[in-house]
Each structure stands twice: as C-alpha cells, then as structure tokens.
Amino acid sequence: MKRTIIAAASALMLLAGSNAYAQLGNALNRTRQSVQKTTVNKTGQQNATNKTTANNAATPQTGNILYVSASTGAGSRTADGSKEKPYKDLQAAIDAAPEGALIRIAEGNYLGKMDQGFIEVKKYISLEAGWNTDFTERNYVKYLTSVRPTEEVAKAGTSGSHALMDVVVKGNRKGTVSIDGIFFDMGQYNLYVGPLYDNPVASAPAGCETGRIILPDESPSGVSTVGGVKGSRQCLYGAVEGRLVVRNCVFANAMHYGIQMENIAGHWEISNNMFVACRMAGCEVRGNGVAPETETTLDFHHNTVVFTWTRTKLLEDMGYGFRYMTRMNYDVHDNLFGGNYYGALDRTRFDSDLKRDKLRETNAYDNLFFANRMGDVCLPSGGGLWNWQYAKNFEEVEQFKKYEGNREVNESEIKMLQKAISDPYLKGYIGLTMSQNSSYAENSAMNTFRAAMGMNKQGTETVRVSMYGNRYPFEEITKLWGVIAGKGAQMP
C-alpha cells in the first residue's frame, strides 16, 4: 500500500502550481483581513522602545567591567580583563568575574574552556557581545560574536550533554543575569544527510545547504552525511532565580530547543532575538512553583521565530515557536512567527493544581503570523485531541486574557519576507510532502518463523518526507533582522 500526503494541507491550503511564492501568497491572503477587533496602533511607540532596549548597554551591578577578545586577548595566566589585556577565552572571564560584573565581548567565535564546545554561567553577571576588537564600537550584527561549535569540536566529544550555554544561578532574587548579542548556532555541530537533491532519503529540496537532520536513534543507509554528530543539545539551558534578560541573540539550528529554561522566581525578559530552524520548540520557559505567578513572569517580545521542526520526521508532535508552560505568567507580544510546523504558540499545558492554574495569566497580543502549518496556536480540544486556531479567532481563545492586534501578514509584508528568507528553504517548506510505504507478507519466511516462536507477525513501513530539520544557512540569518518594522527582531 502506498499513499502520498501533502503534510498538513488543511492548515496551509497549498494550491496547485510550481511557484512556491505564489502558494505562500495565496495561503496567507485568506487571513490578512482576519483581525476585526484591534487596539490603538502603538507601532511607533513600540519601535522606539524596542530600538532603545536593543542598543542599551548593560549596567554592571558592582562597577566591574571585564573585556574578552578572541583575536587580541591572552590566556588566563597573563590577561587581567582590562581593555589592554583582555581575556581570549570567554569562560575564563566568566570564572574570574565577581558577582554583578559586566563582561564585554569582542567579535569572534567562543567555544568554552579549551574549546570543549560549551560555556557555563553560575553567577549573576552580564554578558554584552558585539564589540569591535578595541572596544570603541558595539554593533552585534556587524561585529558578530558567536558560540558556534565546529565539526571538529563536535567529533571530539568533549561537550557531553551540555547546552551551548548552561546558566544555573540561584540564591538572589534581586540579582540579574543578562545575555546580550550572542549568536548561538548548532549547524556545524549537528549531523545531517548530505545535500543529495535526487535522493528521497536525503530529504533535500533543491538548493538547500544540507539534507534532513539525523536524530540520535537513526542511521540512514546509502547516503553521505555532513556536519558533526548526533545528539540532543539546547542552545541555552538552565535555571535562574532572579531577573534574566536575553536580548539581541540568535538561536539557530538547535537540535533540542533554542531556549529551554526554568524560572525559579523572577521577572524575565526575552526580547529582540531570532530563533531559526530549531527542533522541538524555539523557546520554552517553565515556572518552578516556589513563588506565585505574579512573581514569576516572562515578557517575550519583538522576537523572530521561524521554521521550528517537529520531534521526528513523522511530523506528529512538537515543533512549536513558543510554549506557555505552567506556574508563571506570560506576555507574548510584537513577535513575528512563521513556518512553525505544529503551531506558532502552544497553549496546551495545564497545572495539575487546577486552583493554581486559574491564577495563571497568559497573553498573546500584537503578534504577526505567517505559514504556521497547523495553526497559530495549539489548544486542547476537550476531547483528548488538539485544536488549532489562527489569529483571526484569538478573541475566542479563553486562555488569552489579552488577545488584541494579532494578524496574518499582508501582501506587502509577504514580499518583504520573500526577500529575507533563504529561497530554497522557503520553497522546500511550502512544498513539503510526506509519503508512507507499508507492506505486510503474512506467510513470509520471517513471519512463519516468528509465529512458530510464538511471536507476533510483523510488517514494514517506510516514511519519506521532502524536508525535515535541514540546516538553515548561518550567513543568511542576518537578513531576517528588521525584515518587518516593529514586529520581530529589529536591527541595532
């Protein structure tokens, strides 16, 4: 038996024809008039506010400022962290920094202690990346500061189960951890099928940099591979008590979440970041429960979250842009969500303590959506299944206290997106298909033997997708900064 499925066709309404951009436009135009009830237009105010936030330098809590430069710095035995003698190793600067210090980081790729491929933060400090090498100018797009493990680092196997950056800081609810302007990318670390455009096993749309990502339990045969190793690592992971600020960062090609964190207690802000081609979810922050929801909050705003992939190539679960978890309050606004397979937003989680769950406030307002295959928000159906809704119906979503101003992109915004998004990647996503081949031979030699052994007979099933978790080209990510004014991550 063989059947071919246009994956989630009911959600995206793909139309006949070979022009992927025309498909995108037709699929999205149906909702551009969807928002009937809107709030007062605050775009100008939000733009100004976001631009100020994006460019403000962090303020050290103790007056201590340390400097790091991969190209001009020295080792920890000779560096003192001054402008004249900066550290070359970011981990060494973090380890030497006192509580409350500000660490300014010049352009370069930082791979942790002795290039092991991960960085650890265990104190209340501020990391401010995107400086030039003499620390006279800061521009996180121009002076790219990355944590981007190479293929060689991946194969050395020294990172273990660490995320690219582990942040575990507890003990001071008035303390602040700030991560500003770092580009996290796992595109070289992950293992992918080679870009074999004529081989269905590769799942490589024409022009894509790689074929599909290879999961830890997979070993595809008969194809070449590119990249590092199989694994399940996040870009940013950990738990923080106090205030956490993450802004102006990139989380790209994450094998297992862009951000996955626990808020022990504190008012957090995640803003002006880009989440690109992550698997499982772009951002997931859960509450710890030790403090009430009013003291455990997240303001998630002006982020660009695109192409989040499902848990497996079967495309059956996960793949959310942003997840509302339990035991904390969330404000999600002014973000750009597109191409998130299982939904831009996941609002399916409920606290087992129903009395406490009713105290939780989850908001989604003034967000912009495009081409989220299953829908813009995933909700429980009440019948044990999921219920996907688009922005036009957010007024009816009882889980959102604030819901105004959400909409799908319009025609002019579609053209802007087409110019900014990787052309092969967008075409591959819009044209994504799945096929399944099943066979069952009841009286085969193997099944006859299994029956004689008292075992169940078996059939075989092969699943092929035309695209799944392919690497997004790192060099093209910068095109997504400020693609639509006031929505998503803006330029410095």
Side-chain angles (χ1 to χ4, degrees):
M1 177 180 66
K2 180 177 180 180
R3 56 194 177 96
T4 300
I5 306 167
I6 301 297
S10 61
L12 194 60
M13 301 291 288
L14 296 181
L15 304 181
S18 61
N19 189 323
Y21 288 159
Q23 292 174 349
L24 175 62
N26 290 334
L28 300 178
N29 282 340
R30 63 183 174 80
T31 53
R32 64 190 178 94
Q33 302 295 332
S34 63
V35 178
Q36 303 299 324
K37 182 176 181 179
T38 59
T39 56
V40 177
N41 188 340
K42 301 179 289 182
T43 302
Q45 178 183 349
Q46 290 164 345
N47 281 346
T49 301
N50 186 58
K51 187 173 182 180
T52 301
T53 300
N55 287 285
N56 275 350
T59 302
Q61 300 169 55
T62 63
N64 291 294
I65 302 179
L66 281 73
Y67 297 86
V68 181
S69 174
S71 60
T72 64
S76 57
R77 296 187 183 186
T78 56
D80 60 13
S82 65
K83 281 187 180 181
E84 294 74 23
K85 294 183 179 181
Y87 290 97
K88 68 176 180 180
D89 180 6
L90 176 56
Q91 187 66 62
I94 292 172
D95 293 344
E99 292 279 344
L102 167 64
I103 299 176
R104 288 182 170 160
I105 313 165
E107 59 186 322
N109 190 26
Y110 295 87
L111 298 176
K113 186 175 182 180
M114 293 187 289
D115 293 342
Q116 294 185 80
F118 66 93
I119 293 169
E120 294 181 292
V121 177
K122 298 180 179 180
K123 59 186 71 171
Y124 294 96
I125 57 174
S126 296
L127 305 179
E128 186 183 82
W131 285 91
N132 60 0
T133 54
D134 59 5
F135 299 98
T136 58
E137 181 184 1
R138 183 182 184 232
N139 183 315
Y140 50 83
V141 176
K142 181 179 180 181
Y143 303 114
L144 196 150
T145 306
S146 62
V147 178
R148 191 185 184 205
T150 62
E151 180 178 334
E152 292 72 25
V153 169
K155 291 180 177 178
T158 54
S159 60
S161 59
H162 288 278
L164 297 191
M165 181 174 286
D166 287 324
V167 182
V168 179
V169 187
K170 306 175 182 179
N172 181 9
R173 294 192 184 179
K174 294 183 179 179
T176 296
V177 177
S178 177
I179 303 166
D180 190 336
I182 299 177
F183 286 36
F184 299 90
D185 174 56
M186 295 186 66
Q188 303 299 313
Y189 183 93
N190 299 330
L191 187 65
Y192 301 88
V193 179
L196 310 172
Y197 304 125
D198 58 350
N199 189 328
V201 178
S203 307
C208 278
E209 196 170 83
T210 71
R212 70 174 184 85
I213 199 167
I214 300 175
L215 302 182
D217 59 349
E218 293 182 317
S219 297
S221 60
V223 293
S224 63
T225 61
V226 296
V229 297
K230 296 182 286 186
S232 295
R233 298 179 64 194
Q234 305 91 339
C235 285
L236 183 62
Y237 179 78
V240 173
E241 182 177 12
R243 179 166 173 75
L244 174 68
V245 177
V246 181
R247 61 190 178 195
N248 308 322
C249 294
V250 168
F251 303 91
N253 299 305
M255 179 60 167
H256 194 72
Y257 297 90
I259 295 178
Q260 188 182 34
M261 298 284 293
E262 179 182 77
N263 185 340
I264 298 174
H267 301 293
W268 289 18
E269 180 185 11
I270 298 177
S271 65
N272 213 66
N273 304 288
M274 291 201 292
F275 301 80
V276 183
C278 297
R279 175 177 162 267
M280 301 291 281
C283 181
E284 175 186 293
V285 177
R286 63 186 181 277
N288 177 278
V290 300
E293 283 72 3
T294 54
E295 297 177 19
T296 312
T297 67
L298 172 58
D299 188 5
F300 186 86
H301 67 91
H302 292 95
N303 299 288
T304 296
V305 189
V306 292
F307 300 120
T308 310
W309 292 96
T310 53
R311 183 174 56 86
T312 71
K313 68 176 184 177
L314 297 178
L315 309 175
E316 78 276 45
D317 62 14
M318 294 299 290
Y320 299 109
F322 179 88
R323 302 192 77 195
Y324 298 90
M325 304 302 283
T326 58
R327 303 209 166 183
M328 64 183 297
N329 291 342
Y330 300 86
D331 264 346
V332 178
H333 61 95
D334 294 289
N335 302 288
L336 175 63
F337 291 103
N340 301 288
Y341 195 94
Y342 225 60
L345 305 173
D346 171 28
R347 183 55 177 85
T348 61
R349 299 297 293 268
F350 283 86
D351 198 318
S352 58
D353 183 344
L354 297 181
K355 291 183 179 179
R356 184 161 188 175
D357 191 75
K358 291 181 179 180
L359 301 175
R360 183 169 49 130
E361 183 175 315
T362 55
N363 299 317
Y365 54 95
D366 295 332
N367 297 293
L368 194 59
F369 301 90
F370 72 94
N372 297 295
R373 277 188 173 262
M374 302 302 287
D376 295 334
V377 63
C378 182
L379 304 164
S381 69
L385 300 175
W386 304 135
N387 171 22
W388 285 274
Q389 294 296 328
Y390 286 94
K392 64 179 182 178
N393 292 328
F394 275 23
E395 183 176 357
E396 307 303 324
V397 177
E398 63 181 14
Q399 290 90 344
F400 293 150
K401 183 176 180 179
K402 293 181 66 175
Y403 55 82
E404 298 88 350
N406 299 288
R407 64 178 179 85
E408 306 290 330
V409 294
N410 58 37
E411 289 182 0
S412 63
E413 291 163 339
I414 290 173
K415 294 178 181 178
M416 297 175 190
L417 290 167
Q418 291 171 0
K419 292 179 181 179
I421 297 174
S422 168
D423 184 79
Y425 211 94
L426 179 61
K427 287 181 177 179
Y429 174 80
I430 294 299
L432 193 155
T433 61
M434 175 197 289
S435 65
Q436 291 178 259
N437 293 280
S438 302
S439 64
Y440 175 69
E442 182 176 3
N443 297 316
S444 68
M446 179 59 73
N447 276 336
T448 299
F449 185 80
R450 291 179 64 87
M453 296 288 291
M455 301 171 66
N456 293 329
K457 296 181 179 181
Q458 290 182 336
T460 62
E461 182 176 54
T462 301
V463 177
R464 296 278 185 258
V465 288
S466 61
M467 186 179 194
Y468 170 65
N470 306 55
R471 182 167 70 199
Y472 195 95
F474 184 77
E475 293 73 16
E476 295 193 41
I477 292 175
T478 56
K479 296 179 182 178
L480 297 171
W481 289 107
V483 58
I484 296 178
K487 301 297 180 184
Q490 302 299 296
M491 289 288 285

